[in-house]
Amino acid sequence: MSTANTKPLSHTSFSAQQLTVVGMMIALTVVMLNTPLGAITLPMIRITIAHVPILITAILFGLSEGLMVAFAFGVCTLLIALTSPVSVLDPFFVNPLVSILPRVIIPVTTYFSYRGLQKLLPQFKGKETLSVAISLAIGNLTNTFGVYAMLYLLYAAQILEKTGTPALSLIIGLISTSTAIKCAGIVLIGTPIVLTLRKALQHLQR
């Protein structure tokens, strides 16, 4: 696979096509955050997929575009926490350091993981698939650990007061072994989507 086929489909300035795609990704993110489409419920686990558009955008289009979608995700999360909190932790997401900052880090780790793997991995048939899969996993874990890290750093005492459980114990319980299963789910869902969209976009650009 040539280097040209593995670069994010982006340029120094936004084209109308890129703005359209970013707008669609933001719209999809908002819909997923506010409807059941944002999660897949299995018998023993619930996999949140509302942040998948961030991962896809960062890999396919580049860092700037991924940051735009991530920022929209964070703002939407903040507004949901402000207007319709559900869990005991939701009020903490009114703070942009919890709702927005960790989200804008997602495309950074995803993008640079993908670009780094493209340079470091030797040429072989599954290089693109492996690069995408690992980058999706890293981006997903950035979301999980980023949010919980900010919650612990900023609100450890308040979490103990509200729940009666030490913040670290609560967070470890929330992460638990299911994180690996959720991460695998994101990779299994996101990898074929990224590869399919890349082929379609490359075909349109011919």
Side-chain angles (χ1 to χ4, degrees):
M1 183 175 293
S2 66
T3 303
N5 289 337
T6 59
K7 288 182 180 179
L9 303 173
S10 59
H11 309 282
T12 54
S13 60
F14 286 166
S15 66
Q17 181 186 13
Q18 286 174 288
L19 287 174
T20 299
V21 172
V22 170
M24 290 174 61
M25 286 296 190
I26 290 175
L28 178 60
T29 298
V30 173
V31 170
M32 294 176 77
L33 279 171
N34 288 279
T35 68
L37 294 174
I40 297 175
T41 303
L42 301 175
M44 298 296 292
I45 197 170
R46 187 171 184 267
I47 302 175
T48 301
I49 59 172
H51 61 294
V52 169
I54 303 173
L55 307 176
I56 293 172
T57 304
I59 293 174
L60 286 180
F61 295 96
L63 182 57
S64 297
E65 293 87 339
L67 286 169
M68 292 171 66
V69 180
F71 182 76
F73 181 101
V75 170
C76 193
T77 303
L78 186 154
L79 293 175
I80 292 172
L82 187 64
T83 60
S84 53
V86 176
S87 76
V88 68
L89 297 180
D90 279 355
F92 301 132
F93 284 80
V94 174
N95 187 339
L97 294 177
V98 177
S99 57
I100 297 178
L101 178 60
R103 316 302 190 178
V104 297
I105 299 175
I106 298 171
V108 176
T109 59
T110 305
Y111 173 81
F112 284 109
S113 295
Y114 177 75
R115 299 300 296 145
L117 288 166
Q118 285 294 307
K119 293 179 180 179
L120 293 174
L121 291 177
Q123 291 293 338
F124 64 97
K125 187 176 180 180
K127 175 180 178 179
E128 177 69 5
T129 301
L130 183 61
S131 297
V132 170
I134 294 175
S135 301
L136 289 171
I138 291 173
N140 179 68
L141 292 174
T142 299
N143 180 52
T144 300
F145 289 101
V147 169
Y148 286 131
M150 294 308 296
L151 283 171
Y152 178 76
L153 290 173
L154 297 175
Y155 295 112
Q158 292 91 324
I159 289 173
L160 173 61
E161 182 180 343
K162 281 180 171 289
T163 66
T165 304
L168 186 59
S169 299
L170 179 65
I171 289 170
I172 291 174
L174 290 172
I175 294 175
S176 67
T177 56
S178 66
T179 296
I181 300 173
K182 293 177 180 179
C183 190
I186 293 295
V187 171
L188 291 173
I189 293 167
T191 301
I193 293 176
V194 170
L195 296 177
T196 301
L197 286 176
R198 179 178 292 285
K199 288 181 180 179
L201 289 167
Q202 289 171 346
H203 178 74
L204 288 174
Q205 290 183 344
R206 288 175 184 173

